Amino acid sequence: MSFSSYQLNSLEAYRKAYQESLRDPEGFWAAIASDFLWHQKWDQVLEWNFREPKIQWFRGAKMNITENCLDRHLDTQGDQPAIIWEPNDPKEPHRTLSYRQLLEEVCRFARVLGKNGVRKGDRVCIYMGMIPELAIAVLACARIGAIHSVVFGGFSAQSIADRIQDASCSHVITCDGAFRGARDIPLKSVIDDALTQCNTVKKVIVCRRTKTPVSMIQGRDVWLEDELEKLDRSASFPPAESMDAEDPLFILYTSGSTGKPKGVVHTCAGYMIYTNYTFVNVFQYKPGQVYFCTADIGWVTGHSYIVYGPLSAGATTLMFEGIPTFPDAGRLWEIVDKFRVDTIYTAPTAIRSLMAHGEAPLRNKDLGSLKVLGTVGEPINEEAWQWYHEKIGKGKCPIVDTWWQTETGGIMISPIAGLTPEKPSFATLPLPGIQPAIMDEKGKELQGNGVSGNLCIKFPWPGMIRTTYGDHERCRKNYFEAYPGYYFTGDGCLRDKDGYYRITGRVDDVLNVSGHRIGTAEVENAINMHTDVVESAVVGFPHPIKGQGIYAYVICHHQVKEEMTRKNILETVTRVIGSIAKPDKIQFVSGLPKTRSGKIMRRILRKIAEGEMNNLGDTTTLLDPSVVDEIKKGKL
Ligand code: WT7
């Protein structure tokens, strides 16, 4: 298989590759890129500055990512499984799609898109559950050069409307509903609500899954199965669209410290090379293995490590519709045994929640097929790491604690499975091509080991964010302004005496709840929409399962019935953002600690939410120091 030429096979090889990537970054990535299918080669590997920012990889090259994910594997493994799909209900049969079948499905779907007016460059919003048609829809967009914007199936109508409007999507692909655990989520009806606010959407393509009754609007809504049925079976496949290396591949919205999510833009060639290289190396994937990432395709982990990374490497990727605790907390392990899974990639929050169920769900589970364990999304605490290592990996599987972000496109700092000596709760070392820098509060880069500060990256890599959709200045301000000449991650970090990196969490007003990024300002905006609310402040607090929980301090207009209002606020947040953003705690207060200039002192609120009552630091600059005592007394 082609990737064997750049799959690292020793710690020594990793160190050599890392040095080579520093000495000659362009030569390093060009050598990897030469293994892929190109319609036309690049005339320049890299052009960049972090001022604007302007980042171009493989400029002048023409290609299509789906040919690299599908067509190029047909000769050697057309009949190998590309996707194994496990349904939510264990009694329903699973499905397997070979590379040949997947290519055929993608081409058919691509033709349906074309017939319904989707053109190269159009933005298509995808709001579906975890069924094979979701992966097929994503790839069908990429096949014809349409830009997909997948919105996680847990987001509300309002969130979808915001995202559709921001990207002026012309089409929506959805399902009648989605099965998730014991629940049945009415996706189409949520889309109908969202579309009352979106006038750019011309067509909605609906895939049948739950048989939930839906209302179809004439001229706008079509059933996928009817459209597929109408296709001329004898017609040959349309060729894949020839894309510029730097054409956008997708937009994915993520939260920042302002109230409005940003549309992170990734492009075709660089993203492909980067997700492929990192997949093949971090997990040390070997031909024939079964690889299982438990994420949802609605998040970047699913984009990069269920769809594009594994498929570009010709891997077998397992896609699971349900949740780890349905019908019981042994479900993931049952799936591992059922398909003899070699690699499992999941989130610390899932590990902690399964840990909390004790040993019973592990009884009668073999888990002997597992070779590599991965985690992503948040710092993994040592206890969860040890449990994963002992109970799931039986002490014999390497754990890769992979640090990266929606903006980085792929894994940045991580052990290479079995090669890098691990340290629990450390993401360990940067991958080849990645140059981390730790900055002090004055903006100076800290040299040497045994330092901590804010994590930046000082050289471009192929998978990095190119812009925020429709607002390049926002991209510059957010990521490139704080430390001129560097990409700023928003994370705090330390580099220990061995040069190992440990990510300590966000340093901005962004929370990480169950591995999902939530901006405190977004939650505040949602809470403030409730009629009884005057003002609110949201901070995080340590939560044993979710990593961080959401703590909201709320000022109301008048004496309210607290229980009632609390319930209403939760409903409001669910309606505006989605249930993932629901506060765990709501404390009603009569005032918030503010400076004389009116700025909320979040540091104080954070400390109180964390239960640190005595060490609040300087409170003398507060407008009204007495509110602090009241807040302390009312702490939940
Ligand atoms: C933020 C990115 C990367 C895909 C899933 C989340 C945190 C991510 C780790 C890790 C410590 C981590 C960071 C980062 N994070 N992985 N292994 N150790 N923290 O993507 O929603 O873009 O969130 O998740 O704080 O900035 P995302």
Side-chain angles (χ1 to χ4, degrees), residues 235-247:
S236 59
F237 290 166
E241 189 69 38
S242 198
M243 305 295 288
D244 282 333
E246 281 294 327
D247 277 339

Side-chain angles (χ1 to χ4, degrees), residues 172-184:
V172 173
I173 307 172
T174 189
C175 296
D176 49 358
F179 295 125
R180 258 176 87 76
R183 295 195 311 143
D184 174 345

Side-chain angles (χ1 to χ4, degrees), residues 295 376 390 420 529:
V376 60
E390 294 311 316
T420 314
M529 282 182 196

Side-chain angles (χ1 to χ4, degrees), residues 6-206:
Y6 52 85
Q7 188 174 60
L8 304 164
N9 54 16
S10 67
L11 188 57
E12 189 46 39
Y14 157 74
R15 295 212 184 272
K16 253 180 74 189
Y18 191 77
Q19 287 313 316
E20 184 55 25
S21 78
L22 290 185
R23 196 188 61 78
D24 177 16
E26 297 191 29
F28 176 81
W29 289 111
I32 293 156
S34 68
D35 268 6
F36 290 75
L37 279 182
W38 302 91
H39 299 168
Q40 187 181 303
K41 283 267 157 102
W42 51 90
D43 41 55
Q44 194 173 342
V45 178
L46 172 64
E47 158 106 17
W48 71 288
N49 72 65
F50 278 175
R51 257 178 305 106
E52 300 179 44
K54 175 181 177 181
I55 298 111
Q56 296 185 324
W57 282 93
F58 309 106
R59 200 181 59 197
K62 296 255 183 205
M63 44 77 73
N64 186 288
I65 194 168
T66 68
E67 288 179 329
N68 284 281
C69 287
L70 303 169
D71 308 59
R72 84 170 167 136
H73 306 309
L74 283 204
D75 283 349
T76 51
Q77 47 188 348
D79 300 319
Q80 295 282 312
I83 295 178
I84 298 175
W85 174 74
E86 170 72 7
N88 180 60
D89 179 352
K91 291 191 289 297
E92 188 182 337
H94 68 272
R95 274 171 68 186
T96 303
L97 287 155
S98 69
Y99 270 93
R100 199 181 314 284
Q101 289 166 328
L102 181 58
L103 173 61
E104 173 145 349
E105 295 298 327
V106 168
C107 289
R108 277 158 42 83
F109 205 131
R111 284 166 63 198
V112 168
L113 293 180
K115 289 212 157 160
N116 281 280
V118 183
R119 299 287 170 260
K120 178 177 181 173
D122 287 351
R123 278 78 57 214
V124 177
C125 173
I126 302 180
Y127 185 67
M128 298 170 83
M130 282 286 286
I131 55 176
E133 287 72 17
L134 166 53
I136 294 166
V138 160
L139 292 163
C141 287
R143 190 80 175 172
I144 63 172
I147 302 166
H148 55 79
S149 167
V150 183
V151 177
F152 172 61
F155 277 116
S156 68
Q158 186 58 51
S159 296
I160 300 164
D162 292 344
R163 287 158 174 75
I164 288 177
Q165 285 168 358
D166 186 76
S168 310
C169 294
S170 60
H171 290 74
V172 173
I173 307 172
T174 189
C175 296
D176 49 358
F179 295 125
R180 258 176 87 76
R183 295 195 311 143
D184 174 345
I185 302 152
L187 298 178
K188 172 62 163 66
S189 114
V190 179
I191 286 291
D192 289 338
D193 287 346
L195 292 190
T196 60
Q197 306 179 46
C198 307
N199 52 23
T200 53
V201 174
K202 296 191 282 241
K203 279 269 166 78
V204 179
I205 298 170
V206 187

Side-chain angles (χ1 to χ4, degrees), residues 301 377-379 401-406 491 503 506 512 517:
T301 308
E378 50 177 316
D401 173 355
T402 65
W403 174 82
W404 57 295
Q405 311 177 292
T406 303
D491 279 327
I503 314 301
R506 303 288 307 192
N512 191 325
R517 232 155 108 174

